[in-house]
Amino acid sequence: QRNHAGSANTLANQLVESIVHSLKYQFGSVPISNLQVDYSYELEAAGITDIVPLLRMHPNSVSVLTDNGQLSVRLAGIYDGPALDLNVSDANVEDVGKKLLKLKGQATELVTKLSRCEQHTANQLEELHNL
């Protein structure tokens, strides 16, 4: 009995390691339903019927979240805020557009400031060279 429990724990840990490894090659989160299918053999071998509690036991490795209404998993620490909702409705297109324009303006302002800093540094270097 003890060896069986030990081997099941080993299999469960190997399963989590395998999922973490595969998540490193994914962009964003992966639906839990996909993991249930992709790792069905490993889950059965480890005696696991529900993968979510297992994943939640490894918060330093993975995050379980709801993404677009679907229970999903992603690497921990990548982005711990809410999942981005990419379903843009007609009602919020204008708001999203305004936010993007504001961000574009802020980015342009930062580029301008950086350019000024570079020019200032170049002028100081030239002055030092002429001393």
Side-chain angles (χ1 to χ4, degrees):
Q1 183 77 10
R2 184 175 287 238
N3 284 342
H4 178 69
S7 65
N9 286 337
T10 300
L11 288 172
N13 287 332
Q14 289 173 346
L15 175 61
V16 172
E17 288 175 20
S18 179
I19 291 169
V20 167
H21 180 74
S22 69
L23 287 172
K24 290 178 183 178
Y25 299 98
Q26 300 288 326
F27 179 76
S29 60
V30 174
I32 295 291
S33 58
N34 289 12
L35 294 180
Q36 294 280 151
V37 171
D38 294 345
Y39 293 95
S40 61
Y41 175 79
E42 292 87 347
L43 289 166
E44 186 179 323
I48 298 169
T49 55
D50 185 2
I51 195 170
V52 175
L54 173 65
L55 294 172
R56 287 192 170 140
M57 289 172 49
H58 298 274
N60 293 330
S61 300
V62 295
S63 296
V64 177
L65 62 138
T66 302
D67 191 4
N68 290 324
Q70 226 177 357
L71 202 55
S72 301
V73 65
R74 68 172 166 221
L75 289 176
I78 299 296
Y79 173 70
D80 290 331
L84 295 175
D85 185 3
L86 299 179
N87 296 326
V88 179
S89 67
D90 291 340
N92 69 1
V93 167
E94 188 174 333
D95 289 339
V96 170
K98 286 178 183 177
K99 289 177 184 176
L100 287 173
L101 285 174
K102 182 178 178 181
L103 288 172
K104 181 181 176 188
Q106 291 171 343
T108 302
E109 185 179 325
L110 288 172
V111 169
T112 302
K113 287 180 181 179
L114 179 61
S115 179
R116 286 185 197 142
C117 288
E118 288 175 342
Q119 185 59 49
H120 180 71
T121 303
N123 290 344
Q124 286 183 326
L125 286 173
E126 188 175 328
E127 287 177 16
L128 286 172
H129 181 68
N130 291 334
L131 288 180

